[in-house]
Amino acid sequence: MTANEIKALRSALLDWYDASARTLPWRTEPGEATRTDPYRVWMSEIMLQQTTTVHAAPYFNAFTARWPTVSDLAAAEDADVMAAWAGLGYYARARNLLACARMVADEYDGVFPDTEEALLKLKGVGSYTAAAVAAIAFGRPANVVDGNVERVMSRLFAVEAELPSARPELKRLAGLFVSDHRPSDWPQGLMDLGARICRPKSPLCGECPLSFGCAAYKQGDPQSYPRKAKKAERPHRLGHAFVLRDGKGRVALVTRPDKGLLGGMLGLIGSEWGGAPDYAPPFEADWTEAGTINHVFTHFSLDLTAHVATGWVDDPALVWMEEGEALKSLPTVFRKALERALA
DNA sequence: TATGCGTGGAC
DNA sequence: TGTCCAAGCAT
């Protein structure tokens, strides 16, 4: 692809973005001189990792209303942040969010660093997020490459190599378009195009401002890009959860270890999840089986059987919480099991 | 480089 | 129903 072709594609995309940019809570209008608060850009980028804009938006609004600055967030209680993140998934993000806010508060005096290199050292900030914040918040010409950009590049150039091994090549191709001109709008426009036009399925090539230069479009099979390696089969696991109620509207929860699945989150008392776990109630009580819920995680599917009893155990590890609050503070798999137990 | 890590919507 | 997928990161 020649330099002139690159320039024509850039121009076409920016024109399209000027006319059709999405309005999002964390975004300023295209070309707007006043840049969005780096704190808000960073917050949105963390929440948007592997997460749709529709899902992230209410959490973004809640977090920024409750903790308007990075210093406010740095001073928050861990449990409050984890509970506020409940339902959004990938809970390591919430732990890293807090760790990062405290790094910025302590080491940078509450002011976000403005270079890709420094951003990359922050907890939970990887190559994508560092580039995105550098470009969107600070106007730096960074090579911002996410799943959208990879897909757009794979189609523009009809890249035959499969993901994930094609990633370095796709990043190199994306780098051909990076420029000092409108460095903040370029990646946002490219990602908007990927989300709305150059979609994974049923791309809207008839509306695409880049179709004139798209190799996959010329071939007639844009949807077949990017090529992907086959995924491993998802195993099935079983487990039991024990809902102990005190008879006064509260329920016993545990705080899960910081690392691993649902790390740092509240959870129900229960067994390990495996192929055929023993039914092993943790306490003597008159347990009643309330039903089984299914929940699908990224890498396994779980059938979790809920058991319910009324009683009291004097155990300092237990967190007794109002049932309504528990439903709001638990990750979804436990929320579903608790709902079943209380039904 | 491969794997572990959530959730809900689209089809 | 199942499958894919969404602004990835850490290890």
Side-chain angles (χ1 to χ4, degrees):
Chain A
M1 196 173 284
T2 69
N4 277 340
E5 287 170 322
I6 298 280
K7 196 172 174 183
L9 287 166
R10 272 189 56 89
S11 177
L13 179 69
L14 288 166
D15 286 349
W16 174 84
Y17 185 62
D18 286 338
S20 353
R22 288 179 291 181
T23 298
L24 297 167
W26 45 83
R27 181 179 270 182
T28 56
E29 297 303 306
E32 192 172 316
T34 307
R35 292 211 167 79
T36 305
D37 180 358
Y39 171 65
R40 294 167 62 86
V41 174
W42 161 76
M43 176 80 72
S44 70
E45 292 301 341
I46 301 299
M47 288 185 170
L48 287 166
Q49 290 166 6
Q50 300 290 285
T51 305
T52 59
T53 55
V54 171
H55 196 187
Y59 285 85
F60 176 84
N61 290 329
F63 269 69
T64 52
R66 185 168 177 181
W67 299 292
T69 71
V70 69
S71 301
D72 295 323
L73 182 60
E77 296 288 340
D78 292 42
D80 289 341
V81 173
M82 299 310 288
W85 196 277
L88 195 54
Y90 285 137
Y91 298 98
R93 293 185 295 173
R95 298 194 302 278
N96 289 332
L97 185 85
L98 198 44
C100 179
R102 289 170 179 164
M103 284 176 73
V104 172
D106 296 343
E107 297 174 26
Y108 292 95
D109 205 20
V111 180
F112 267 87
D114 64 354
T115 67
E116 208 174 333
E117 184 186 6
L119 287 162
L120 199 48
K121 293 178 181 169
L122 299 174
K123 285 280 187 189
V125 175
S127 60
Y128 162 76
T129 303
V133 174
I136 297 170
F138 298 113
R140 295 188 180 274
N143 190 13
V144 183
V145 182
D146 73 329
N148 287 304
V149 176
E150 288 180 349
R151 183 170 57 258
V152 172
M153 292 302 147
S154 75
R155 290 174 179 172
L156 273 179
F157 295 90
V159 174
E160 293 301 328
E162 290 182 335
L163 284 176
S165 55
R167 288 200 72 195
E169 171 63 4
L170 295 171
K171 184 166 188 174
R172 184 188 70 78
L173 294 170
L176 299 175
F177 294 87
V178 173
S179 151
D180 285 332
H181 177 58
R182 299 183 64 178
S184 169
D185 290 335
W186 170 254
Q188 296 189 79
L190 205 51
M191 292 190 284
D192 263 26
L193 187 84
R196 298 168 65 192
I197 304 290
C198 196
R199 308 182 297 194
K201 296 172 184 171
S202 310
L204 305 175
C205 301
E207 303 174 28
C208 182
L210 307 186
S211 62
F212 71 90
C214 180
Y217 177 65
K218 290 190 179 76
Q219 288 178 191
D221 61 340
Q223 188 175 319
S224 69
Y225 296 90
R227 312 291 199 204
K228 291 193 176 182
K230 283 192 176 177
K231 290 177 183 171
E233 228 173 281
R234 198 187 335 254
H236 201 81
R237 295 187 192 172
L238 303 170
H240 295 275
F242 298 92
V243 176
L244 186 63
R245 312 175 74 178
D246 70 353
K248 301 172 190 169
R250 295 195 302 174
V251 60
L253 305 177
V254 294
T255 301
R256 297 173 61 83
D258 267 345
K259 301 205 171 187
L261 186 71
L262 309 175
M265 296 297 289
L266 289 170
L268 293 176
I269 303 160
S271 61
E272 296 289 310
W273 301 336
D278 292 333
Y279 166 80
F283 312 116
E284 284 294 326
D286 184 16
W287 294 106
T288 301
E289 187 170 320
T292 298
I293 61 100
N294 175 263
H295 189 76
V296 179
F297 292 91
T298 305
H299 52 299
F300 67 95
S301 168
L302 174 70
D303 282 330
L304 187 62
T305 301
H307 306 263
V308 62
T310 299
W312 172 264
V313 176
D314 187 15
D315 183 336
L318 296 180
V319 178
W320 291 89
M321 185 177 280
E322 294 291 336
E323 288 164 2
E325 190 184 352
L327 288 169
K328 288 188 293 186
S329 303
L330 287 167
T332 300
V333 59
F334 292 125
R335 177 179 58 74
K336 291 200 285 195
L338 181 57
E339 281 172 347
R340 179 64 57 93
L342 300 180

